[in-house]
Amino acid sequence: MAKIDIINVQKYYGSYHALREVSLSIKEGEFMVLVGPSGCGKSTLLRSIAGLEDISGGVIAANDQPVNDLSPQERNIAMVFQNYALYPHLTVRENLAFSLKIHKFEKSEIDRRIKLAADMLGLTDYLSRRPKALSGGQRQRVAMGRAMVREPTAFLFDEPLSNLDARLRVEMRTEIRNLQRKLRTTAVYVTHDQVEAMTMGDRIAVVNKGGIEQVGTPLELYRDPNNMFVAGFIGSPPMNFISARADGHQAVLEDGQVVTIPVKAHGDISIGLRPEHIFLDKLEHHHTLKCKESRHFDLGSSLQYFFDLNGTEIEVSASGDVRSHSGVEIQIHFDPNDLLVFGADTKRIR
Amino acid sequence: MRTTIQQPNSPQNGETFQFKPELLTLSRTWKPKAEEGRLRKMIFVWIALAVIVIFFMLPIAYLFSTSFKSPVDVVDGSFFPNAVEAENWPRAFAQVPLWSFMRNSILAAAFSVFVTLGVAVMATYAMLKLEVGKSFLPDMILASYVAPPIIALIPMFVLMQKLGLLNSIAGMVLIYGLMNVPVAFWLMRSFVLQVPKALDEAAWLDGASYFKTFFRVTLPLLYPAMIATGLICFILSFNELLFAQAMTFDSDSRTLPVGISLFQGERRVNFGQMAAASSAGIIPVYFIALFCQKWLIGGLTQGGVK
Ligand SMILES: Nc1ncnc2c1ncn2[C@@H]1O[C@H](COP(=O)(O)OP(=O)(O)OP(=O)(O)O)[C@@H](O)[C@H]1O
Ligand SMILES: [Mg+2]
């Protein structure tokens, strides 16, 4: 168990700047999720922590000890790979025992740890099988077990669930999280799925273009995003952005409709409004905007509407049952305090 | 087809079944088109295979048949000997020490395979997985593979002379072993690349040194590839003539190809005996190939990844 500090880390692949001054502090026992779009540098950061990539600048420290110069073998970090990377020629038992044997553990201790892991992960019946005779979910568990038996300073996960089907993925999320809570091992978990990030992370670091946009608990990121990227990335369905010109607390939309915004701003702004904060039935303190319906989907439990506002598509998740037709003018209502305002530089105006 | 017409207890009408010729034609046209296509394809494949096999077997068959021909028959050029001259075989073995040659060939080829694999497998891994030498070393190896062997003959001869390895099986083992490294590299290449990098990385994180990772994780996955590569290198060494002819001078170290070429030299060429010696020389290679076949087929990574 360890806290991990990443300080001004830089990484170049040739001339490509893959990590730009990344700083992040991961507390002991914390489950930190790195989330971001494809190619933003999540894996690079994770692999740098593991020692699989040499960093071009900055410091990575575990328990205040820099580990920059330690090889992957010396860092005592366990990683669960996207494709599991189980040793195909070894049985499940041998896969689990591999690192313990390398570190010359006593046979009895090896057996004890394997038994513990196998019990926890439900692998007891599969110990003498080879990986090829296991299902995707079972392989995933073996990969988890292999990380677990070592009792490492940290677990690193690189999109470990992306090869599983949707249902198993949801199951394994809970399983991984429960396991980590039980073991209290610091974990860094990479995903590009923001739902996975929101449901699993103690804290989330939103990564974009090689830099960290914001770090916070899932709720902090949802309620109080620092910029349009985080606001748009966290939350499902994603936040709607409406462009407007502001003068003080008044914002004028392209078609002349006026909205009162909760903060003072001037010039071009984007108004952020979450689909779940838009209502089709008006309440007392609600503001109203006129727009046209373009399409809607019935998801059974709720309805998903898309409205057209000055050519921008506004998504609304509503329970109200207004089954109108496309092209029909419709009113949407919202609490002005739910509005987020972003400047032309995409930064939040508070 | 039969089930369509033989349904005496057919519940539809309860009548006893009556043969209706139109049913038969119906059922015949019912035969799926795809099946007919598959049959045609099979016939084509078999004919093509037969042509190819005949094409490749013909010279060997001719060689074998020649080994039973008298000198007169050889000149005659007919495929089968007019009179079977079985004497060619014992005479061939009496004429030159074929058994020694064969032993020398097998020893030189077999040990050279170990030298080749010992160098090539580790080198391939280091170059491709640990990126030793970036792209320069692999390109170098390709370059040395492309060059005609004869340009190495004189320098090799001098080197062997200095090492005192001329006219020895050990010398031939060394030459063949190193000569086949580029071939082995290019054969092993795709197999090594097929072993996912994540496996090495997982082993490193598990605490295994680079050597342990190689020996415990990568190497076991490469066994089938090594057998295939080893077999090809064995055949290359077994059949090599140029270097063997230049560097071996007596029956203690001469290899089979050199031995067979001896039938040409002395006085007149006895094609019948030469063919007998050649036929005998082919046999070990074929047996080894046959023997190794079952190891050549086999999964490489077998589901460890994905
Ligand atoms: N070995 C490499 N050489 C050059 N560029 C690389 C290398 N590895 C990664 N990159 C580049 O660095 C950037 C970040 O890659 P990285 O694998 O960290 O992305 P990621 O966030 O994990 O994306 P994904 O979600 O698709 O896995 C990408 O643009 C990628 O092209
Ligand atoms: Mg990645």
Side-chain angles (χ1 to χ4, degrees), chain B:
Chain B
M1 201 164 94
R2 286 175 68 113
T3 49
T4 1
I5 47 172
Q6 287 193 348
Q7 289 184 335
N9 300 324
S10 173
Q12 281 102 321
N13 44 25
E15 293 168 8
T16 47
F17 178 76
Q18 284 177 2
F19 181 71
K20 294 178 187 135
E22 67 271 20
L23 246 182
L24 189 64
T25 48
L26 188 73
S27 66
R28 205 179 272 152
T29 52
W30 256 79
K31 188 174 189 173
K33 270 265 153 58
E35 198 167 299
E36 219 166 272
R38 209 178 314 137
L39 191 70
R40 258 186 228 152
K41 197 172 143 196
M42 285 299 288
I43 292 171
F44 175 78
V45 166
W46 279 106
I47 291 174
L49 273 179
V51 170
I52 291 168
V53 167
I54 289 170
F55 181 80
F56 282 105
M57 289 305 289
L58 207 59
I60 292 163
Y62 196 76
L63 179 75
F64 194 67
S65 134
T66 304
S67 75
F68 292 102
K69 285 179 188 169
S70 63
V72 184
D73 282 354
V74 173
V75 180
D76 175 36
S78 63
F79 190 88
F80 293 104
N82 290 321
V84 173
E85 185 150 319
E87 279 297 282
N88 280 339
W89 283 72
R91 276 203 205 118
F93 279 84
Q95 185 89 10
V96 295
L98 268 186
W99 286 116
S100 302
F101 293 160
M102 205 176 292
R103 181 203 62 207
N104 296 342
S105 270
I106 290 174
L107 285 178
F111 282 102
S112 79
V113 165
F114 287 101
V115 174
T116 303
L117 290 181
V119 175
V121 176
M122 277 203 252
T124 310
Y125 176 80
M127 278 189 273
L128 299 178
K129 282 297 172 64
L130 306 179
E131 288 171 19
V132 176
K134 303 287 171 203
S135 69
F136 172 74
L137 272 183
D139 290 351
M140 265 276 284
I141 286 175
L142 180 65
S144 69
Y145 176 42
V146 167
I150 197 158
I151 61 170
L153 187 59
I154 291 166
M156 282 295 206
F157 187 89
V158 177
L159 275 173
M160 286 292 131
Q161 195 175 34
K162 290 261 190 273
L163 288 171
L165 289 175
L166 275 184
N167 197 27
S168 73
I169 293 175
M172 295 323 290
V173 166
L174 196 60
I175 287 192
Y176 291 155
L178 296 180
M179 196 170 74
N180 286 335
V181 165
V183 183
F185 170 77
W186 284 98
L187 289 172
M188 292 297 300
R189 208 181 98 89
S190 64
F191 291 102
V192 171
L193 288 175
Q194 267 183 55
V195 179
K197 186 100 196 272
L199 277 184
D200 298 82
E201 294 177 340
W204 298 340
L205 287 171
D206 270 349
S209 66
Y210 297 104
F211 270 95
K212 268 195 184 142
T213 301
F214 174 73
F215 284 110
R216 297 229 190 136
V217 176
T218 312
L219 200 62
L221 299 175
L222 291 177
Y223 287 155
M226 286 166 65
I227 291 174
T229 304
L231 181 65
I232 289 168
C233 290
F234 181 91
I235 292 168
L236 286 175
S237 302
F238 192 86
N239 293 337
E240 205 281 337
L241 175 61
L242 182 68
F243 284 82
Q245 205 161 33
M247 299 194 192
T248 58
F249 317 124
D250 60 36
S251 56
D252 284 342
S253 58
R254 273 177 175 160
T255 59
L256 198 65
V258 182
I260 292 168
S261 74
L262 290 180
F263 284 92
Q264 282 177 338
E266 286 138 31
R267 292 162 302 177
R268 61 199 168 82
V269 184
N270 189 326
F271 285 110
Q273 289 178 19
M274 193 169 168
S278 304
S279 303
I282 290 171
I283 291 166
V285 181
Y286 277 74
F287 264 101
I288 289 168
L290 220 61
F291 180 69
C292 290
Q293 207 167 30
K294 69 174 173 188
W295 281 290
L296 296 182
I297 308 154
L300 187 64
T301 49
Q302 308 161 346
V305 164
K306 201 148 181 226

Side-chain angles (χ1 to χ4, degrees), chain A residues 38-39 41-44 47 82 158-159 190 192:
Chain A
S38 186
K42 307 178 296 286
S43 298
T44 305
R47 293 167 55 81
Q82 178 173 0
D158 194 351
E159 310 207 15
V190 163
H192 59 248

